[in-house]
Amino acid sequence: RIEAKCKFEKALLHEGFEILGYRIVPVNPSVLGKNSQKTEPWTEQIFVCHPSHTGPQLESSLYIARKKTEAKLTYDSLYICSLSTK
């Protein structure tokens, strides 16, 4: 997971983003069954900013960083469910 995050961060930095930090998304695993608990994903939220891009240009840069990351990694190593300002 750490290697995948590093590749994701590298793609974001390449597009000019500053990484502000991460937060672990709170979950309630007690509601999951035994099989679901075995495959529960690790979920984090990343916070980024860009010094000059806004609006459509910002969305485009986020999209490019996401696609570059997805091209280098497998679904099992990192899944980006959303990377958008919306």
Side-chain angles (χ1 to χ4, degrees), residues 2-62:
I2 292 172
E3 183 181 334
K5 279 176 62 174
C6 287
K7 288 181 180 180
F8 181 41
E9 289 177 359
K10 189 174 183 177
L12 287 165
L13 294 171
H14 185 265
E15 293 301 315
F17 285 94
E18 178 184 344
I19 297 165
L20 303 176
Y22 286 89
R23 93 177 175 106
I24 298 170
V25 177
V27 295
N28 182 5
S30 66
V31 299
L32 299 175
K34 289 182 182 180
N35 288 336
S36 295
Q37 286 178 355
K38 292 177 187 175
T39 60
E40 180 185 7
W42 179 264
T43 308
E44 291 185 58
Q45 186 175 17
I46 188 170
F47 297 91
V48 298
C49 69
H50 198 284
S52 60
H53 293 181
T54 59
Q57 190 177 22
L58 178 61
E59 286 294 325
S60 178
S61 294
L62 288 167

